[in-house]
Amino acid sequence: MQIIPMLINGKWVHGDTTSFIDVINPSTGQVLAQIKSSSQAQVDEAVQAAHNAFESEQWRQVKAFERGQLLIELANYIRMHAEEWSLLECRDVGKPLTQARADVEAAARYFEFYGGAADKIMGDTIPIEDGLLNAVVLEPVGVTLHIVPWNYPLQITARSVAAAIATGNAVIVKSAEDTPLTTHAMAKWFAEKVPKGIFQHITGLGREVGPYLTSHPDIDHITFTGSVATGIDVMKAAAQNIVPVTLELGGKSPNIVFADAPMEQALEGVVRAIIQNAGQTCSAGARLLIEEHAKEAFVAQLVDKFQKLKVGPGEADVDMGPLLNERQYLKISTLLQQAKKQGFVITGGETLKIKGYEKGYYIQPTIVDGVDANAAIAQEEIFGPVLTILTFTTIEEAIELANGTNYGLVAGVWSKDLDTAHYVASRVKAGQVFINNYGAAGGIQMPFGGYKKSGIGREKGFVALRNYTQMKNIAIRYATPERT
């Protein structure tokens, strides 16, 4: 059995705890590898190593363009090993191979994008008065912590680590206990390329190891992607040390479909927005808001598309893979049984047994209709392939429904009338709004983050570089030279 080690201070080590944690392939239910949880002493060692590496002359002497070249080299390495890394992600998360390949390419693009940006992070000058040169410079924050979720481990690690390294920081990654494989593959590359302590990988149960990291007084910035409840805990811990946070939390994102929408594109967009990664996506389009007099025809076609979707193991590369683990499987299947008893499920709602993969965590893609907009199933993030339908009759009602949750991560607006589309987009409280599309191929360059309880700050694009820099103002007084 493969034991995944941690990378701490340039050394490969195992957690100090006695028990092992199984890393399970959701498609088969079989154990892929094992990890151990880091101890507090190991976290302290990692943070101290990161601090020492960040302050070292060796790292200070690495020029910005050289950091960029390093990241572009990693992008090329990922592409050279794309199939190997795709299989790791497919087996670790359970997602279809095509989606895993897209994640691998996205990771390469993050390193490529931020590699190109590394020597273009520029400050400014401010005119004050004659004899005073005032410069604003952007410096790295120091030791950055990256707590990565299990649904997109490679992509989400890449998007924040690339920006942090580009700006000159030392990085500690805490991978999810369910999905450490591709982060370990990345750690192996970094171990050979950067000074010890600049990139480190910590493993273990989030509830045990997370608090050691988030409360550590020598962490300078925390990037966390995950649930609202854990995000609140992260923010509280960071507040004790006055440490800035970037939080990408949950969502209950709407696709708002008007009667004049391009219906074929809308149908495809609505389906893909909820089944991608089996709906285990913060930005999943979990609510369909449909104009009332267009509902009957649209939903009939939607049900037909759902019923034709193929569910199976990730490596079979069908439309949808399994849920991640038994906990997710039991939670969602229980919720759907309740919805079926109440008469809300119009298609799906059942667990599945796939021949040859009977221990996998499979569930039918499901549509729920007839629930109140304030019902839990229409308000709370399910994190599974469950689409809730709500109807509206006016533009204002559509906007009210779209904004009627505690979340505000993503929204889709489907209409051929640009006045309608722009009006709705301007009033929907969401960090990203897509008009007549949803997701935009990953959008490496597009700022991503949420309103309300969907998070704080933005990742992706140039704006994310500011997460990992701090601003310093330098004012230089100079005198008129004496002339002889």
Side-chain angles (χ1 to χ4, degrees):
M1 178 61 63
Q2 182 186 15
I3 311 297
I4 303 295
M6 300 184 291
L7 179 62
I8 296 178
N9 197 19
K11 299 173 292 186
W12 296 108
V13 298
H14 296 294
D16 282 341
T17 54
T18 56
S19 59
F20 288 94
I21 302 164
D22 290 337
V23 178
I24 294 172
N25 182 336
S27 294
T28 64
Q30 295 175 342
V31 177
L32 287 168
Q34 292 180 317
I35 59 170
K36 283 188 171 185
S37 282
S38 166
S39 66
Q40 186 163 2
Q42 288 176 314
V43 166
D44 290 342
E45 182 185 356
V47 175
Q48 186 62 54
H51 179 76
N52 293 343
F54 174 72
E55 295 290 351
S56 70
E57 284 302 312
Q58 183 183 11
W59 186 239
R60 284 178 175 271
Q61 294 305 313
V62 178
K63 299 178 179 65
F65 83 87
E66 292 172 332
R67 294 197 302 268
Q69 289 175 333
L70 178 80
L71 297 179
I72 291 169
E73 183 183 343
L74 176 52
N76 293 334
Y77 178 86
I78 291 171
R79 289 193 174 108
M80 286 173 58
H81 296 83
E83 197 62 18
E84 174 191 344
W85 285 36
S86 297
L87 282 168
L88 284 177
E89 199 79 336
C90 169
R91 291 168 180 165
D92 212 7
V93 187
K95 61 182 60 181
L97 197 51
T98 294
Q99 292 179 29
R101 289 179 179 129
D103 286 0
V104 170
E105 174 57 21
R109 287 181 62 202
Y110 279 120
F111 286 112
E112 193 171 60
F113 179 85
Y114 288 113
D119 61 352
K120 302 170 186 68
I121 304 163
M122 300 176 188
D124 209 345
T125 59
I126 302 173
I128 306 294
E129 60 185 53
D130 187 39
L132 190 69
L133 176 61
N134 193 84
V136 177
V137 297
L138 300 176
E139 297 184 341
V141 295
V143 179
T144 63
L145 170 63
H146 308 251
I147 302 178
V148 179
W150 49 257
N151 56 341
Y152 289 87
L154 180 57
Q155 264 211 65
I156 292 175
T157 300
R159 79 183 184 195
S160 61
V161 165
I165 296 287
T167 45
N169 297 280
V171 163
I172 298 173
V173 177
K174 162 61 180 72
S175 59
E177 57 264 30
D178 291 291
T179 55
L181 298 186
T182 47
T183 304
H184 175 58
M186 189 185 296
K188 287 194 288 187
W189 188 90
F190 272 114
E192 301 296 324
K193 298 292 181 177
V194 297
K196 65 179 184 179
I198 290 299
F199 182 97
Q200 298 177 94
H201 178 206
I202 298 291
T203 64
L205 294 173
R207 63 179 179 272
E208 295 177 1
V209 179
Y212 300 153
L213 289 159
T214 57
S215 64
H216 202 289
D218 293 323
I219 293 289
D220 298 304
H221 181 276
I222 301 171
T223 298
F224 170 78
T225 303
S227 71
V228 172
T230 307
I232 290 169
D233 289 340
V234 168
M235 198 171 180
K236 285 179 179 178
Q240 299 303 308
N241 296 311
I242 320 296
V243 169
V245 296
T246 302
L247 303 177
E248 195 259 282
L249 307 177
K252 193 72 173 178
S253 299
N255 267 301
I256 310 166
V257 179
F258 288 88
D260 68 340
M263 289 303 181
E264 281 303 316
Q265 295 97 309
L267 282 163
E268 187 66 23
V270 169
V271 171
R272 293 298 159 194
I274 190 59
I275 69 161
Q276 182 174 328
N277 201 26
Q280 300 170 123
T281 305
C282 295
S283 57
R287 291 185 298 151
L288 167 63
L289 313 185
I290 179 78
E291 192 165 0
E292 189 168 32
H293 69 269
K295 177 183 177 181
E296 184 177 352
F298 189 88
V299 171
Q301 293 179 75
L302 192 63
V303 168
D304 181 60
K305 285 185 175 292
F306 264 58
Q307 291 175 348
K308 290 177 179 176
L309 292 169
K310 293 181 179 179
V311 180
E315 289 181 69
D317 205 19
V318 291
D319 297 304
M320 197 180 87
L323 299 176
L324 178 81
N325 55 33
E326 186 178 27
R327 183 177 64 254
Q328 281 286 104
Y329 178 78
L330 292 175
K331 182 189 82 170
I332 294 173
S333 59
T334 299
L335 181 150
L336 292 180
Q337 286 305 309
Q338 293 170 349
K340 286 195 75 174
K341 287 179 182 177
Q342 294 169 311
F344 295 138
V345 173
I346 62 173
T347 189
E350 298 289 346
T351 58
L352 294 171
K353 292 294 182 184
I354 308 296
K355 187 176 180 180
Y357 300 89
E358 287 80 6
K359 292 184 179 180
Y361 306 119
Y362 299 97
I363 199 162
Q364 290 178 327
T366 300
I367 301 176
V368 175
D369 191 15
V371 301
D372 185 86
N374 294 316
I377 201 167
Q379 289 284 319
E380 297 173 5
E381 186 176 46
I382 295 171
F383 230 57
V386 182
L387 177 67
T388 300
I389 298 176
L390 301 168
T391 57
F392 63 87
T393 57
T394 67
I395 291 176
E396 296 304 331
E397 188 181 1
I399 294 167
E400 184 180 355
L401 284 170
N403 293 334
T405 74
N406 289 325
Y407 300 107
L409 194 56
V410 177
V413 182
W414 301 84
S415 173
K416 293 177 183 176
D417 185 328
L418 289 183
D419 288 336
T420 296
H422 281 292
Y423 180 84
V424 173
S426 72
R427 283 158 173 76
V428 169
K429 292 180 172 63
Q432 283 189 334
V433 181
F434 296 98
I435 296 175
N436 295 331
N437 71 109
Y438 195 97
I444 304 303
Q445 306 93 324
M446 298 159 53
F448 179 64
Y451 283 39
K452 299 186 282 186
K453 289 187 177 179
S454 284
I456 293 174
R458 294 295 181 267
E459 298 195 75
K460 302 186 180 184
F462 283 113
V463 69
L465 294 164
R466 290 299 182 99
N467 296 336
Y468 307 103
T469 60
Q470 51 194 342
M471 190 177 291
K472 179 181 286 184
N473 193 91
I474 303 174
I476 307 166
R477 174 69 71 183
Y478 61 91
T480 303
E482 295 182 7
R483 300 178 185 273
T484 57

